[in-house]
Amino acid sequence: MLKIENLHARIAGKEILKGLSLEVNPGEVHAIMGPNGAGKSTLGNVLAGRPGYEVTAGSVSYDGRDLLTLEPEVRAAAGVFLAFQYPVEIPGVNNTYFLRAALNAQRKARGEEELDSMQFLKLVRGKVKDMGMPPDLLNRAVNEGFSGGEKKRNEVFQMALLEPRLAVLDETDSGLDIDALKQVADGVNALRSPDRAFVVITHYQRLLDYIVPDFVHVLSAGRIVESGDATLARELEAHGYAWVREQAHAEAQA
Amino acid sequence: MNAAVTPFVESMQAAAAPLQLPGSGPAWLDDARRTALQAFVERGLPDTRNELWKYTSLRALGQRRHTAGNPDAARREVPLDLLPATSAGAMRIVFVNGAFRADLSALDALPGGVTLQPLSLALLEQPEPLRFLLGAYTNEDDGFTLLNRALAADGVVLRIAAGVRVADPIHVVYIGLASGSMAAWHLRSLVELGAGASVNLVEHHVGQPDAGHLANLVHDVTLRDHARLGWTVVQTAGAEANLVRRSDCRLGDDAELDFHALELGGKLARHELRVDLTGARARFTSRGAFVLHGRQHADTEVLVTHRGRDSVSDSLWRGVADGRARGVMHGRILVLQGADGADGGFYNKNLLLSSDAEIDTRPALEIYADEVKANHGATVGQLDDTMLFYLRSRGIPLDIARRMLVRAFCTVAMEGIAPAPLREHCDTLLSSQLPEVAA
Ligand SMILES: Nc1ncnc2c1ncn2[C@@H]1O[C@H](COP(=O)(O)OP(=O)(O)O)[C@@H](O)[C@H]1O
Ligand SMILES: [Mg+2]
């Protein structure tokens, strides 16, 4: 589904990703862990097509297409979703209006019938209920005045509504209390299916108690330096990232 | 010859001679018109050395001869779709190319205590009460105001008797139709609300896209104690229209002026809104937005004078310019001696959508009283890339995302427009303008 090979990317002239490779198949959940500044958000942003990043080498294919040549909205319609580490407040843009515009734009791009406002309201109200979101969410402006936790949950809510095929969650767990964390995990787990994949970027092992990953990767200094199964996350929690760096260093020496 | 005598001035002078203006007869009026014309010819159009015209050059306009009005304006057929839908079935007074149109107006079901008539008729019936207004000119007059005094042939006279609260809005519609030549017309309007009176006034400017003209409008607005005026200007004039408006408003004790403007049309759209908070606790609120593209030029000057104790002014404006458009926003708050406890605010944010567009915003405070709260802020920026990417990452195409953000940017200026159908009308107009900008 997603194949990243030897990806090099820079921002503001500074190389951040330095030869990152990763393969994700339908149905899989990959966790990406790593210290601050390792390039985790950069990876998510490059996948979603955020302007400003320059890919200098390597390739990313998604369903056999060259993902890097597609506009962000085209990627979204193709099923790529990024839950932002820092969701954006958009004063003056009503949530209902925004969500309907997004869903219908995606449907239109895929050649599907657009939803009329009745159909959409029914759908979105159901999701609000399922996800335990505050009912006034739909009358508010996008993320405006939301607490940090509300913003993160709103990302997962949008994901549930848009039903992407490849979801990248960028530290959706940070700043959440345990209840909110469980809600986020429930949202993700409810969407898990054989034809959908997740890349869960996190700083802490805690989220992975609730979203059990198939693979765990350690991203450090722009590369994946270690991969394993869910137990790797626990080792990291116990030993810290320095341990991984030493291991990688030792390997390189060997 | 005077340097101020440009082809424009010459043509106005020539046009004045054979004009038989309504109300000709009272010696004071003829005299006042003659004197004003003379003063105009000496002074000419304002130039950019005038602080209030610093960013709006009239050089091109000054080089064009204009005819006085449009001779068949009183009879011309008006495409019905030009009439704003929100004014249908409402009290309404309509002008076509500067001429009052009884056939398009609806003045026969006015509630008690409401006088609404064209100035032309008021001058025929009862000129004397207008003497104070039309009889003299002041140093505050610029070339356009003088010209208006000399040549204004019509306008709106709206009076609400003391204590009368008018429930339904009154619509004033200015329509510009294409005519063979570049025509100029001058309208003088009087709005007077007695003590405790209240009304909502909706002013529409509409026109055909190729209607080149100069409309020179002067409003005198007087709100006596405890009166309230809601005034909404919806300006979607044709792309060749030049609109020069000046409004002088005086507010008595506890009087309230709630002003909204949506400026979308015109080639040159100027409004100098002067508000004199004479009374104690007088309150002025203004919200407005201009959204420009092509080579449009809009210039709004909000000039507030706090004279009364504890008077309040609160202005919040938004400007958007695309293409090679030019926007000018000037907010001045003057707090005079004696206006202790006054509270004035002027906030203006602007968006530039192209590198060739330009917006100049100048807030200014001058304070001569004690215990005054006064704030201002003005910014010029661009669409937020982070917001754009957020919308696109959810599947919304770039052009739609840009329009959503422009519309959102203007929302704060439009939220208070009442009643709801008028607000929706404004929102629709704004949305339909957006494919032109931000595309
Ligand atoms: N817009 C930017 N301009 C310059 N440097 C940036 C920018 N965004 C991120 N960086 C730098 O790139 C590196 C990786 O950032 P990021 O991908 O956000 O790391 P992580 O998400 O793993 O904490 C950091 O050193 C950060 O300072
Ligand atoms: Mg990050």
Side-chain angles (χ1 to χ4, degrees):
Chain A
M1 173 180 241
L2 178 73
K3 193 162 187 202
I4 305 173
E5 279 181 310
N6 187 34
L7 185 63
H8 290 253
R10 37 164 91 185
I11 179 128
K14 182 175 159 197
E15 184 158 67
I16 309 296
L17 299 183
K18 303 168 183 167
L20 186 146
S21 299
L22 179 70
E23 193 167 346
V24 178
N25 296 305
E28 294 175 352
V29 174
H30 291 247
I32 294 187
M33 306 184 71
N36 275 330
K40 302 185 296 297
S41 293
T42 300
L43 173 64
N45 286 330
V46 168
L47 292 178
R50 184 177 203 131
Y53 292 86
E54 190 195 348
V55 173
T56 51
S59 65
V60 179
S61 86
Y62 172 74
D63 281 346
R65 294 165 88 180
D66 178 0
L67 188 69
L68 299 176
T69 61
L70 306 178
E71 296 295 329
E73 55 268 34
V74 178
R75 301 184 196 198
V80 176
F81 179 91
L82 172 67
F84 283 53
Q85 180 173 4
Y86 304 108
V88 184
E89 295 198 16
I90 313 186
V93 174
N94 167 274
N95 240 324
T96 308
Y97 177 75
F98 157 66
L99 294 170
R100 187 172 162 215
L103 185 63
N104 276 341
Q106 291 198 17
R107 293 180 69 99
K108 191 172 164 194
R110 292 193 292 258
E112 297 164 12
E113 192 91 25
E114 293 179 47
L115 300 186
D116 66 28
S117 57
M118 292 306 289
Q119 291 169 315
F120 176 75
L121 275 178
K122 200 172 159 221
L123 175 73
V124 77
R125 285 192 182 129
K127 296 280 182 196
V128 166
K129 227 172 123 198
D130 292 349
M131 301 283 302
M133 301 299 287
D136 73 344
L137 173 82
L138 294 174
N139 304 325
R140 293 163 68 178
V142 178
N143 288 320
E144 193 187 24
F146 287 28
S147 70
E150 277 179 316
K151 283 180 186 164
K152 297 299 181 90
R153 282 175 53 205
N154 196 31
E155 295 292 288
V156 178
F157 168 72
Q158 290 176 22
M159 178 181 77
L161 183 76
L162 297 171
E163 301 185 318
R165 295 187 45 246
L166 172 68
V168 180
L169 283 77
D170 190 358
E171 294 203 30
T172 305
D173 54 334
S174 48
L176 293 187
D177 62 28
I178 192 71
D179 291 332
L181 187 79
K182 280 185 192 157
Q183 270 166 323
V184 164
D186 287 348
V188 172
N189 289 329
L191 274 186
R192 280 180 88 153
S193 82
D195 55 4
R196 205 170 267 143
F198 294 85
V199 174
V200 180
I201 295 170
T202 179
H203 205 69
Y204 309 101
Q205 184 262 334
R206 191 175 64 149
L207 178 69
L208 305 180
D209 288 340
Y210 301 97
I211 305 173
V212 181
D214 302 300
F215 303 94
V216 174
H217 311 276
V218 178
L219 177 55
S220 177
R223 292 174 56 235
I224 287 181
V225 294
E226 183 83 41
S227 295
D229 61 15
T231 56
L232 176 59
R234 256 163 248 139
E235 284 179 54
L236 278 170
E237 186 82 351
H239 303 287
Y241 291 114
W243 169 76
V244 179
R245 247 175 260 140
E246 277 158 27
Q247 295 250 311
H249 191 69
E251 259 167 53
Q253 302 270 303
Chain B
M1 187 182 260
N2 193 314
V5 181
T6 61
F8 176 82
V9 173
E10 236 172 47
S11 67
M12 288 295 102
Q13 197 177 11
L19 269 190
Q20 269 299 319
L21 296 172
S24 288
W28 62 262
L29 186 55
D30 290 349
D31 275 355
R33 284 173 168 165
R34 248 193 316 274
T35 320
L37 185 68
Q38 200 46 47
F40 165 69
V41 170
E42 276 161 25
R43 200 171 300 179
L45 291 175
D47 63 33
T48 50
R49 281 170 300 181
N50 180 333
E51 188 59 23
L52 297 178
W53 289 87
K54 191 169 172 184
Y55 298 106
T56 298
S57 164
L58 299 167
R59 197 172 302 173
L61 188 82
Q63 291 309 313
R64 293 199 64 171
R65 300 185 64 86
H66 286 62
T67 59
N70 177 210
D72 58 349
R75 291 176 305 277
R76 290 187 56 178
E77 197 155 329
V78 174
L80 284 179
D81 60 355
L82 276 182
L83 283 169
T86 50
S87 72
M91 290 177 274
R92 146 174 116 180
I93 183 163
V94 179
F95 296 85
V96 174
N97 286 7
F100 168 63
R101 292 288 293 260
D103 57 328
L104 300 172
S105 302
L107 302 172
D108 41 9
L110 301 177
V114 175
T115 307
L116 175 60
Q117 60 180 171
L119 179 72
S120 48
L121 190 62
L123 282 173
L124 282 178
E125 287 180 352
Q126 258 200 323
E128 207 46 38
L130 296 163
R131 183 168 182 164
F132 174 74
L133 180 63
L134 305 176
Y137 71 91
T138 72
N139 283 335
E140 294 272 310
D141 285 347
D142 64 22
F144 282 107
T145 331
L146 290 170
L147 193 56
N148 189 285
R149 287 184 182 283
L151 297 178
D154 222 325
V156 181
V157 175
L158 171 65
R159 287 198 175 91
I160 314 287
V164 173
R165 310 184 82 81
V166 184
D168 298 320
I170 292 174
H171 293 256
V172 181
V173 184
Y174 298 105
I175 300 176
L177 296 184
S179 57
S181 60
M182 192 71 183
W185 55 81
H186 316 273
L187 295 170
R188 179 90 180 186
S189 295
L190 168 72
V191 176
E192 195 174 357
L193 272 61
S198 91
V199 69
N200 286 311
L201 187 65
V202 186
E203 177 182 318
H204 306 264
H205 298 267
V206 297
Q208 292 178 317
D210 48 350
H213 60 247
L214 167 68
N216 174 15
L217 275 56
V218 176
H219 280 88
D220 280 271
V221 177
T222 303
L223 308 184
R224 309 261 177 234
D225 298 351
H226 293 277
R228 182 195 174 274
L229 175 65
W231 182 4
T232 303
V233 175
V234 187
Q235 192 272 101
T236 55
E240 291 300 318
N242 297 297
L243 288 183
V244 179
R245 292 154 293 169
R246 152 99 178 240
S247 306
D248 286 274
C249 312
R250 280 165 297 276
L251 278 68
D253 290 352
D254 298 289
E256 197 178 328
L257 171 60
D258 188 7
F259 181 86
H260 282 89
L262 181 60
E263 301 271 355
L264 299 177
K267 179 179 175 190
L268 164 66
R270 155 108 181 170
H271 188 198
E272 186 174 314
L273 175 60
R274 293 169 171 255
V275 179
D276 195 330
L277 301 169
T278 313
R281 296 167 306 279
R283 172 183 285 271
F284 165 61
T285 314
S286 76
R287 299 282 181 269
F290 59 71
V291 180
L292 312 173
H293 60 93
R295 288 179 169 271
Q296 284 183 289
H297 184 118
D299 177 352
T300 300
E301 311 270 318
V302 180
L303 312 174
V304 183
T305 303
H306 288 261
R307 233 177 266 277
R309 295 183 75 95
D310 301 314
S311 52
V312 178
S313 71
D314 167 28
S315 297
L316 201 156
W317 289 71
R318 292 282 186 267
V320 180
D322 197 3
R324 307 181 65 85
R326 178 89 187 260
V328 181
M329 187 79 223
H330 181 196
R332 188 182 74 192
I333 299 174
L334 171 63
V335 184
L336 293 181
Q337 207 170 355
D340 298 351
D343 181 350
F346 177 84
Y347 305 93
N348 173 226
K349 283 191 191 176
N350 299 284
L351 260 187
L352 289 177
L353 298 177
S354 101
S355 53
D356 292 327
E358 188 177 332
I359 294 180
D360 296 287
T361 172
R362 295 178 295 161
L365 296 177
E366 272 179 71
I367 298 171
Y368 304 99
D370 298 324
E371 288 178 52
V372 168
K373 266 196 272 171
N375 280 299
H376 63 195
T379 61
V380 180
Q382 273 140 36
L383 278 181
D384 185 313
D385 286 336
T386 322
M387 293 185 192
L388 266 182
F389 174 60
Y390 192 77
L391 295 173
R392 296 177 77 192
S393 78
R394 299 306 183 239
I396 298 172
L398 178 61
D399 55 341
I400 298 178
R402 285 170 62 100
R403 274 177 233 153
M404 281 171 84
L405 292 182
V406 173
R407 185 168 162 230
F409 180 75
C410 297
T411 300
V412 286
M414 320 232 318
E415 274 167 347
I417 296 176
L422 181 63
R423 186 174 56 249
E424 281 153 25
H425 173 69
C426 289
D427 195 45
T428 307
L429 291 174
L430 177 65
S431 298
S432 62
Q433 175 96 342
L434 293 180
E436 307 276 342
V437 300

